[in-house]
C-alpha cells in the first residue's frame, strides 16, 4: 500500500522546493482547505437544513435566521481570510464592493483573494454538483495600508495561485501555483484532502461540448457553425459529439478537464458580455486550464490578458481542450 499524501504535506513540499516561497501562500491555501471542508459539510446537509429546519419557520436551533448557502459559504471564506492574516482584502460574487480588512495584521498581508463562494447555486435545491472558485494575487498597493481597487483588478496573467473546490459525488480541491495542476479528494473519514489527481493534464481534444443550447438562436453565427460542427458526422471524430451541460461551471469544467471537452458561455443578444464574471470565475479557471495544457478565450482573445475595469465584469467564455477552443475560435473568425 502506498503512502497517502495530504494536501497539507503537498503544499509544504511545494514550499520547500521554491526558495522564494515564504509560507504565506501556503497558509492561504490551508485556510481555503479548512473553509472548504466546512462548506462541504454544510453542502452535504443542504436538503436537511432547507426542508427540515426551514419548515419550522426558517430559524435554526439557536434562533438564527436560515441563510442561503451561498451567503453562508461567502461568510466562511471571508472569515478564513480575515483571521488568517496573510490577506489584506477580498472581492467576492456576493459583495457589491471589495472588502479591505481593517486589522493591522491584515493590512500587512501581501495578498488578495477573489472568489465565487458557491458556483452553480441554482443547483443546490436539486442536489446537483456545485463548487467554489478562487484566485490569488500579490497586492500592488503599499503593505501596511488598506487594500485598494487596483489590487483587485489585476490581469489574470498576474495570478499567483488559483483553484476550485467541487462538491460533487465526492469533494475535490484542484489548484495551481503556476507549476502544473494537482487535484485532491476529501476523505471524509479522516477529514483530509488527499492527493488523488497528480499533475492533471487536459486532453488536447475531446468530444464533449457544454453550452446552454437554449441560447443557440441568440448567439453569433460563427458559434452556431461550431455547434453544428460538434453535432455533425463530418467532424474530427466522424460522429456527433455528446452534449453535456450541468449548469455548474465548476462541474462542467472539471469533467472536461478529465475527459476532454469544451465549455462555452457566449455573448448573446440579451447578454452582450455573456454571463460569467472575469475576476472570480473566468480568470482562475483559465489559469488552471492553461496550466493543464488547455485554453481559455473570449472566442477572440486570451482571457488572462484582459485588463479588468470592474469587479463584477462579465466576459464571453470559451474554455477547455486546446484543439476544441481553437476550432470554435476559427469558426467565429470565419464569420467576422
Ligand atoms: P453562480 O451560481 O455563481 O451565479 O454561477 C452560475 C453560472 C455557472 O455556474 C453556470 O455554468 C451558469 O451560470 C449557468 O447559467 P445558465 O443558467 O444561463 O445556463
Ligand atoms: Mn458562479
Ligand atoms: Mn456563485
Amino acid at each position: 500500500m502506498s503512502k497517502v499524501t495530504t494536501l497539507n504535506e503537498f503544499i509544504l513540499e511545494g514550499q520547500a522546493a521554491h526558495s522564494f516561497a515564504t509560507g504565506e501562500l501556503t497558509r492561504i491555501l490551508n485556510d481555503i482547505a479548512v473553509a472548504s471542508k466546512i462548506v462541504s459539510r454544510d453542502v452535504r446537509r443542504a436538503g436537511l437544513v432547507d426542508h427540515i429546519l426551514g419548515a419550522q419557520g426558517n430559524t435554526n436551533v439557536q434562533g438564527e435566521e436560515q441563510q442561503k448557502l451561498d451567503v453562508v459559504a461567502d461568510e466562511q471564506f471571508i472569515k478564513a481570510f480575515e483571521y488568517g492574516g496573510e490577506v489584506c482584502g477580498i472581492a467576492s460574487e456576493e459583495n457589491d464592493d471589495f472588502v479591505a480588512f481593517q486589522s493591522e495584521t491584515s493590512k500587512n498581508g501581501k495578498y488578495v483573494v477573489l472568489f465565487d463562494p458557491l458556483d452553480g447555486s441554482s443547483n443546490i435545491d436539486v442536489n446537483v454538483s456545485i463548487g467554489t472558485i478562487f484566485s490569488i494575487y500579490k497586492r500592488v498597493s503599499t503593505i501596511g495600508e488598506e487594500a485598494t481597487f487596483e489590487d483587485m483588478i489585476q490581469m489574470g496573467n498576474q495570478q499567483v495561485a488559483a483553484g476550485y473546490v467541487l462538491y460533487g459525488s465526492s469533494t475535490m480541491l484542484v489548484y495551481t501555483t503556476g507549476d502544473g495542476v494537482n487535484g485532491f479528494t476529501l476523505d471524509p473519514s479522516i477529514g483530509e484532502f488527499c492527493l488523488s489527481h497528480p499533475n492533471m493534464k487536459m486532453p488536447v481534444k475531446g468530444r464533449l461540448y457544454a453550452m446552454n443550447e437554449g441560447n443557440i438562436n441568440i448567439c453569433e453565427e460563427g458559434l452556431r457553425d461550431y455547434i453544428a460542427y460538434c453535432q455533425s458526422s463530418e467532424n474530427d471524430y466522424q460522429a456527433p459529439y455528446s452534449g453535456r451541460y450541468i449548469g455548474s461551471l465548476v462541474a462542467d469544467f472539471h469533467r472536461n478537464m478529465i475527459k476532454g471537452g469544451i465549455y462555452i458561455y457566449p455573448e448573446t443578444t440579451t447578454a452582450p458580455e455573456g454571463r460569467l464574471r472575469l475576476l472570480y470565475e473566468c480568470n482562475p479557471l483559465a489559469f488552471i486550464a492553461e496550466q493543464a495544457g488547455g485554453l481559455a478565450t473570449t472566442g477572440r482573445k486570451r482571457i488572462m490578458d484582459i485588463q479588468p475595469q470592474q469587479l463584477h465584469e462579465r466576459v464571453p467564455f470559451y474554455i477547455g481542450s486546446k484543439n476544441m477552443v481553437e476550432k470554435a475560435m476559427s469558426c467565429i473568425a470565419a464569420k467576422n
Side-chain angles (χ1 to χ4, degrees), residues 162-202:
Y164 61 84
V165 183
L166 173 61
Y167 312 100
S169 43
S170 59
T171 296
M172 270 196 82
L173 190 152
V174 174
Y175 82 98
T176 182
T177 51
D179 189 18
V181 182
N182 291 282
F184 301 80
T185 302
L186 181 63
D187 181 339
S189 69
I190 56 169
E192 293 276 6
F193 282 106
C194 301
L195 182 61
S196 52
H197 296 62
N199 195 20
M200 294 172 81
K201 292 286 173 218
M202 193 172 231

Side-chain angles (χ1 to χ4, degrees), residues 28-40 69-84 87 90-92 101 113-118 131-134 164-165 167 173 193:
I28 297 173
L29 290 168
N30 275 326
D31 291 342
I32 290 172
V34 172
S36 60
K37 281 185 216 173
I38 297 171
V39 171
S40 177
L69 209 44
D70 33 18
V71 177
V72 172
D74 189 49
E75 288 172 355
Q76 203 55 249
F77 282 102
I78 292 179
K79 228 192 298 173
F81 299 132
E82 184 161 20
Y83 299 121
V87 173
I90 61 98
S92 117
F101 296 142
V113 186
L114 292 79
F115 59 98
D116 178 354
L118 263 201
T132 295
I133 313 173
F134 61 90
Y164 61 84
V165 183
Y167 312 100
L173 190 152
F193 282 106

Side-chain angles (χ1 to χ4, degrees), residues 11-12 14-26 111 138:
I11 295 173
L12 284 171
Q15 185 192 324
H18 294 104
S19 51
F20 59 81
T22 56
E24 284 133 323
L25 190 57
T26 298
Y111 295 90
K138 276 221 161 101

